[in-house]
């Protein structure tokens, strides 16, 4: 069975440019998460979806970040415009049991903003 | 807000030795989970312990939970070089409750 798939794995852009990350969760997982991970730190939740509904987006900087999960499967996280401080790894995870069960993570998308 | 806090921040041991890392948290939990992250990779779930459990084993892993002290420990026995990774605890893992992890280095 395929795991959580993320793309791209690496992205280098100049500041003020837009960038988008894509995530395909494990089949059947209705809960999808986007996390941000800075170097040497643990993951920080940006947004959590239950099916296509964003149920927790309190930590998402909505002035420049947006996310969508059309049809309750794949999800896209967008940053526009990117800032130097956005350089980090963006992790996608999915789960079957909501916020109390095991999370399955993708390999992450590493963003470098120059 | 991050609730899980791991200790120590870094741990270096020889292959074959045991590694113990600790996690403290602040509020009541339903369960606590431990994850491993190899450099440049995503997190991998290791073990989940429920609030009504005190100890759990999985292969070379042993996890304890003390809800009165709001703490948990992860013991890796007979460590191997392949255990070199960062280890994170998470309470209510679907929320922003990961700590900054313990970086374990196992020297061959």
């Amino acid at each position: 069975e395929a795991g959580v798939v993320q793309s791209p794995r690496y992205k280098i852009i100049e500041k003020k440019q837009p960038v988008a990350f894509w995530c395909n969760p494990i089949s059947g997982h209705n809960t999808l998460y986007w996390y941000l991970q800075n170097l040497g730190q643990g993951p920080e939740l940006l947004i959590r979806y239950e099916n296509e509904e964003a149920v927790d987006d309190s930590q998402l900087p909505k002035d420049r970040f947006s996310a969508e999960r059309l049809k309750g499967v794949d999800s896209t996280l967008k940053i526009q415009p990117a800032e130097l401080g956005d350089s980090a790894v963006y992790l996608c995870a999915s789960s079957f049991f909501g916020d109390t069960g095991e999370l399955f993570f993708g390999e992450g998308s590493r963003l470098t903003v120059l | 807000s991050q609730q899980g806090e791991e200790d120590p921040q870094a741990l270096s041991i020889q292959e074959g030795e045991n590694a113990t890392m600790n996690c403290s948290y602040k509020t009541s939990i339903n369960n606590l989970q431990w994850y491993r992250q190899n450099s440049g990779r995503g997190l991998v779930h290791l073990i989940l312990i429920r609030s009504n459990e005190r100890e759990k084993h999985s292969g070379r892993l042993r996890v304890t939970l003390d809800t009165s002290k709001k703490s948990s420990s992860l013991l890796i026995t007979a460590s191997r070089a392949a255990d070199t990774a960062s280890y994170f605890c998470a309470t209510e893992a679907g929320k922003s409750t990961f700590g900054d992890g313990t970086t374990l280095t196992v020297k061959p």
Side-chain angles (χ1 to χ4, degrees):
Chain A
E1 179 181 325
V4 176
V5 180
Q6 291 188 247
S7 68
R9 285 277 282 138
Y10 305 93
K11 188 73 175 179
I12 301 174
I13 61 172
E14 295 191 345
K15 63 181 181 182
K16 300 185 182 180
Q17 294 298 305
V19 63
F21 305 110
W22 175 80
C23 173
N24 181 240
I26 291 174
S27 178
H29 283 191
N30 63 334
T31 308
L32 183 146
Y33 316 76
W34 283 103
Y35 285 87
L36 175 153
Q37 186 176 28
N38 288 305
L39 187 64
Q41 298 182 16
E44 299 175 37
L45 181 69
L46 290 173
I47 189 167
R48 174 168 64 98
Y49 283 95
E50 296 285 349
N51 299 306
E52 63 271 13
E53 181 184 359
V55 296
D56 186 353
D57 63 355
S58 58
Q59 302 302 313
L60 188 73
K62 298 180 183 63
D63 56 338
R64 297 184 300 107
F65 286 65
S66 65
E68 61 181 10
R69 190 183 185 198
L70 299 176
K71 300 181 180 178
V73 181
D74 295 3
S75 178
T76 302
L77 178 69
K78 298 178 181 178
I79 308 174
Q80 181 170 9
E83 297 179 352
L84 295 177
D86 296 332
S87 294
V89 175
Y90 293 84
L91 294 165
C92 179
S94 69
S95 72
F96 182 70
F97 293 110
D99 61 4
T100 59
E102 174 184 351
L103 302 187
F104 294 81
F105 282 83
E107 299 283 49
S109 294
R110 181 177 296 276
L111 173 66
T112 301
V113 182
L114 303 176
Chain B
S1 61
Q2 293 185 322
Q3 179 171 208
E5 295 291 338
E6 296 86 353
D7 172 66
Q9 285 188 317
L11 182 60
S12 183
I13 60 175
Q14 293 293 136
E15 211 167 26
E17 294 180 341
N18 295 341
T20 299
M21 51 205 86
N22 304 295
C23 170
S24 60
Y25 58 92
K26 298 174 183 175
T27 62
S28 297
I29 60 172
N30 292 315
N31 66 61
L32 186 142
Q33 303 177 35
W34 285 91
Y35 289 79
R36 183 189 74 228
Q37 185 177 36
N38 289 75
S39 181
R41 308 295 294 274
L43 281 75
V44 175
H45 183 266
L46 294 176
I47 195 166
L48 179 153
I49 186 165
R50 301 191 188 285
S51 59
N52 61 352
E53 298 176 309
R54 291 297 167 260
E55 187 172 312
K56 200 164 183 178
H57 296 255
S58 178
R60 294 184 296 113
L61 305 180
R62 172 177 169 254
V63 170
T64 62
L65 179 64
D66 187 335
T67 53
S68 66
K69 295 181 179 179
K70 291 186 171 56
S71 67
S72 174
S73 68
L74 171 67
L75 168 67
I76 304 174
T77 61
S79 63
R80 306 166 181 168
D83 294 329
T84 294
S86 292
Y87 292 81
F88 297 90
C89 67
T91 60
E92 312 301 341
K95 301 174 184 176
S96 184
T97 54
F98 286 88
D100 287 339
T102 291
T103 298
L104 173 65
T105 302
V106 181
K107 301 174 184 176

